[in-house]
Amino acid sequence: MNDRDFLNDMVTTEKYMTDAYSTAMNEASHEDLYDEVSMICSESQNMQRNLFNLMFEKGWYSFEGASSSTLDQTYQQFTEYTNQLPSSGMIQ
């Protein structure tokens, strides 16, 4: 494995871990346990972001930007979805 493969594996692992920590927080019935898992989750998210930034800087993690018209269309689509929700008056 090369450096890119190692970093990609680490980013993927951190994403998986933050997802698992989120589930654990949703299920935690003890406040201290929730707080501890929340802190660890935050650390994991920060590590994932740092790894992402490093890969992006090296050109190993890229994506195409969306056009303005695509962004506008998607925004309009989700605005219509929120208007259909029972609590639509509460969402800004």
Side-chain angles (χ1 to χ4, degrees):
M1 288 177 61
N2 58 31
D3 289 344
R4 179 181 179 174
D5 293 336
F6 280 116
L7 284 174
N8 190 48
D9 185 57
M10 292 168 66
V11 166
T12 301
T13 299
E14 292 296 337
K15 287 179 180 181
Y16 173 78
M17 290 174 62
T18 56
D19 187 44
Y21 289 135
S22 178
T23 299
M25 289 187 305
N26 289 337
E27 301 294 327
S29 60
H30 191 274
E31 194 65 31
D32 290 340
L33 175 61
Y34 174 87
D35 291 341
E36 188 70 23
V37 173
S38 177
M39 181 186 68
I40 295 168
C41 182
S42 179
E43 291 172 1
S44 185
Q45 286 175 321
N46 290 336
M47 179 57 67
Q48 184 277 325
R49 186 64 182 175
N50 291 337
L51 291 166
F52 166 83
N53 287 335
L54 178 60
M55 289 187 72
F56 188 79
E57 287 171 12
K58 291 186 174 289
W60 296 341
Y61 203 121
S62 61
F63 46 86
E64 288 185 31
S67 68
S68 293
S69 62
T70 301
L71 291 174
D72 291 341
Q73 182 181 10
T74 303
Y75 177 81
Q76 183 62 38
Q77 177 184 358
F78 283 98
T79 299
E80 291 172 12
Y81 290 160
T82 59
N83 290 336
Q84 297 172 16
L85 296 173
S87 61
S88 63
M90 298 171 54
I91 298 175
Q92 297 290 324

